[in-house]
Amino acid sequence: MDGLRILLGIFLFVKGITFLEYSSDVLYIFSSDQEVLSLKNTSLITSTVHIVGGLMIALGCLTRFWLLC
């Protein structure tokens, strides 16, 4: 189970980095549901939660809390 938790954390971390690299694509996906002003904040928050949450899950810190988020 620890190996699965670590792999999930690494996957989420890499997904957060990918969101930052392809932020225009993320903005396009979010643009159908939200206003233009909040799109950049939404993209940044999504990336940040994936990166921080992925690291915390991989390291085992507050794992249940981050999995709920």
Side-chain angles (χ1 to χ4, degrees), residues 24-69:
S24 61
D25 294 337
V26 175
L27 289 174
Y28 176 74
I29 291 171
F30 286 148
S31 67
S32 62
D33 294 335
Q34 296 182 359
E35 297 176 12
V36 176
L37 296 176
S38 65
L39 287 178
K40 291 192 179 199
N41 291 337
T42 304
S43 176
L44 182 64
I45 290 170
T46 303
S47 300
T48 304
V49 168
H50 274 81
I51 291 170
V52 173
L55 284 176
M56 295 293 259
I57 290 170
L59 296 175
C61 301
L62 301 172
T63 303
R64 290 186 179 114
F65 172 74
W66 284 106
L67 287 172
L68 285 174
C69 288

